[in-house]
Amino acid sequence: TDKLDWPEKTKTMQKNWIGKSEGALIKFEISRHLMSSRTSDVLAIEVFTTRPDTIFGATYLVLAPEHEIIQNSRPARGGTAKLKIKNLEEVEDYIKKAKKKTELERISEVKEKTGVELKGIKAINPASGEEIPVWISDYVLATYGTGAIMAVPAHDQRDFEFAQKFNLAIKMVICPNYPKPTCPILDEAYEGEGYLVDSGGFNGMTSEKAKKEIIDWLAKKGLAKNKTAYRLRDWIISRQRYWGAPIPIIYCQKCGEVPVPEKDLPVKLPEIVDFKPKGKSPLASSEKFVNTRCPQCRGKAKRETDTMDTFICSSWYYLRYADPKNSKNFASPEKLEKWLPVDVYIGGAEHTVLHLLYSRFFTKVLKDLGCFKFDEPFLKMRHQGIILGEDGQKMSKSRGNVVDPDDLVKNFGSDSVRMYLCFMGPYEQGGPWNPKGINGVFRFLNRVYKLNDKIPAPPKAGRENLKLEKLLHQSVKKITEDIKNLRFNTAVSQLMILLNEMEKVAELEIKDYETFLKLLAPFAPHLAEELWFQLRGHPMSFRTSDVLTKSIHLSAWPKYDPKKIKEKTFELVVEVNGKVRERVEAPIGIKQEKAEELALGLKRVKDSVAAKSVKKIFFVPGRLVNIVTD
């Protein structure tokens, strides 16, 4: 993700959703004397950990409520359970309560830790050989790793809080310094790395080295192996909907599941009238679609009636834009290379771990298949903010806080609505709708409409307003950069500054007016187009080239002259004994001798140094002169 110009929060969310972790699978065997006498199996609980260096500090295990070991504690039909949990009824009750919680509720950092010990069950720490208790708790998820963790409360804050609540052993085995007497007294978990203590033959070893050494040591005993774990879940793609791409599978009683031959792809949706599922996919009601022939034996067969989830299509649709009429391929390699990857993509943050993530997956797979050379779909990503209702809540008919854009367009015009949306705040933030805010933009556009009254006919020679010339070139530079960086609110603000200065001019040059309209066009396209066409009938229109184009939106974007926006003077601060006495305009690049001469010639400075002798003068180029007296 380093080469992606995406919001860091979005990239972090995707990383966390994938949840890639490098670590080890370690077996904690169940004590034999606690198992049923009728079983000869060696039962073990596998845990995934990224910190094998802390294993000597594992003082208990925690299982997800859904962990399979609970099944081993329930008697099989006609038999006995492999494990004997003495408080099985209490455990079963806890599991029922855990099932009612969402995953987010279970992993919340702020919620109180809950859990139940599996009484009568002990696991053996494979490193220390000690028997340790086994618990279940809803903060452990069956969908991550193995659904079991080795709890090292001295070096994991969640485990630390759990151990404190249930009075479980806390054993420190990683110290920031060595030897052990320098280890701090813990009032919270120490989650950093350091040197191993109370860890047998690994004492004094660094955490980084111990991770590999301990895994290798346990692997020789058959109790550990390296493992890369992912939090990402399997993706179910089938839906019982009419819309969506049909799944190209045919079911034959003789041949089984048979894929539709490539020459018969794509499978097209039939035209049906009733789209209701009725307990099965709407496609199942179309006998003409369902009944077909097996591609292998030509016997009677039936088509799959589920369709693919729409995320299948939304994950690659952007590629089709490059070549939408191609009937042989999803897009030609030449057009893919010309148009893609996407330079800038704007979309909602709510798609972070769905469309935006799976588009990246699809792109990488297609790249590996040799379909194109790039491996990321969207090089630059920006999220638009959400416009809330006046009450600061998300707009909803049930809340009655919906803003009707049709009414706004009717009262203020679409350009006012569009421009206010740009002006109301930073693009990525959004915020509550202010019904009075649009009035200011509406008044601004009315002032713009009156601006063409200032164009003289016939024109006067020369340019009288150098201040306006400089501001105009500054505005072209700023608005161009603001649009590129989606800073629409500051671009509109600059237009307002420019209009204020133009209104001060008695007679406006037509070229300046043209430039202003071009800068306005992205924000108020209809008004800018109307005023642009009015210029064609102006007596000066024959003197310009762009006004002869059909539309302002087809005209060339204005350019600025770097020389004309360069400052020629700066504010020189003059101090006497460190106190500001005067501020004066001075030429850019003024030398110390001239700056001193300018400063000493100022009246307030003269009065301050009168009857005193100047001991030293300090000069900071481009900033200040400080005169030190006795």
Side-chain angles (χ1 to χ4, degrees), residues 567-586:
E567 297 290 347
K568 296 179 181 179
T569 62
F570 72 99
E571 186 180 67
L572 179 67
V573 177
V574 182
E575 297 177 348
V576 177
N577 295 324
K579 294 184 178 180
V580 177
R581 296 300 181 188
E582 191 64 271
R583 298 174 189 269
V584 63
E585 287 289 312

Side-chain angles (χ1 to χ4, degrees), residues 235-285:
W235 186 22
I236 299 174
I237 68 165
S238 62
R239 293 288 185 268
Q240 290 187 342
R241 301 169 176 161
Y242 173 72
W243 59 91
I247 297 174
I249 294 293
I250 291 173
Y251 300 98
C252 173
Q253 288 188 347
K254 180 179 178 182
C255 305
E257 297 176 3
V258 182
V260 174
E262 189 171 339
K263 65 180 180 63
D264 295 332
L265 295 176
V267 177
K268 295 183 178 180
L269 291 168
E271 291 188 9
I272 60 176
V273 178
D274 188 357
F275 301 105
K276 295 179 181 178
K278 298 177 182 177
K280 53 186 177 180
S281 172
L283 289 178
S285 63

Side-chain angles (χ1 to χ4, degrees), residues 409-424:
V409 170
K410 183 179 179 181
N411 294 327
F412 298 99
S414 60
D415 280 0
S416 296
V417 177
R418 176 189 177 96
M419 199 166 193
Y420 178 58
L421 291 175
C422 294
F423 184 58
M424 65 184 295

Side-chain angles (χ1 to χ4, degrees), residues 32 34-41 76 78-84:
R32 294 287 302 168
L34 296 173
M35 295 172 60
S36 171
S37 59
R38 297 188 181 185
T39 180
S40 59
D41 297 339
T80 58
K82 293 181 180 180
L83 295 175
K84 294 181 179 179

Side-chain angles (χ1 to χ4, degrees), residues 371-415:
C371 297
F372 39 72
K373 297 178 182 177
F374 56 91
D375 66 348
E376 289 289 353
F378 318 125
L379 299 182
K380 182 176 181 178
M381 163 66 63
R382 293 294 181 269
H383 299 310
Q384 76 274 16
I386 298 175
I387 300 175
L388 306 173
E390 293 178 43
D391 56 1
Q393 300 294 316
K394 194 172 182 179
M395 290 191 196
S396 168
K397 289 182 179 178
S398 61
R399 292 194 184 100
N401 63 349
V402 174
V403 176
D404 189 342
D406 290 338
D407 288 342
L408 292 170
V409 170
K410 183 179 179 181
N411 294 327
F412 298 99
S414 60
D415 280 0

